[in-house]
Amino acid sequence: MIMKCRDCNRKMSLTELTTYPVAYFLKLVAPALIPRVIAAIAHALLPGTKGVIDESMVGFANNFLISCPKCKKTECWDPVAELEAEGSRTKNLHNSQTEH
């Protein structure tokens, strides 16, 4: 579950993304967002809906103007293709094995 900035290609994981909206969520967004979260979970559980979580992350980040920590721009997030994310995991695994 990764997204990247369109302008500088900085990647952000779901863990990092969740640190931004906590206070905003508690005050304003919770009543409006709960039905969408439930719908996203329902769609994620259905077969053939890969990428729903990534697309939801991107929509959330772009709608709530979460800026990229690297280039400081907002509304710049796109989902990372699963193959690209898998390729980087494989490369990192290979690099860590060759260092030992």
Side-chain angles (χ1 to χ4, degrees), residues 5 8 11 21 31 43 54 65 67 73 83 86 88 90 99:
C5 175
C8 69
K11 294 180 181 173
H43 287 291
D54 292 341
L65 304 174
S67 62
K73 293 183 180 179
L83 293 176
E86 188 64 36
S88 67
T90 305
E99 290 174 358

Side-chain angles (χ1 to χ4, degrees), residues 18-88:
T18 56
T19 61
Y20 287 90
V22 172
Y24 189 79
F25 177 79
L26 292 174
K27 292 180 183 178
L28 302 173
V29 179
L33 191 60
I34 289 173
R36 290 183 183 194
V37 170
I38 292 170
I41 291 170
H43 287 291
L45 296 176
L46 297 173
T49 57
K50 292 183 179 181
V52 170
I53 295 174
D54 292 341
E55 291 171 14
S56 298
M57 287 171 51
V58 168
F60 183 82
N62 287 334
N63 287 335
F64 295 104
L65 304 174
I66 295 174
S67 62
C68 174
K70 185 176 178 182
C71 69
K72 308 297 184 214
K73 293 183 180 179
T74 59
E75 298 184 62
C76 60
W77 300 105
D78 287 325
V80 174
E82 287 188 29
L83 293 176
E84 181 182 336
E86 188 64 36
S88 67

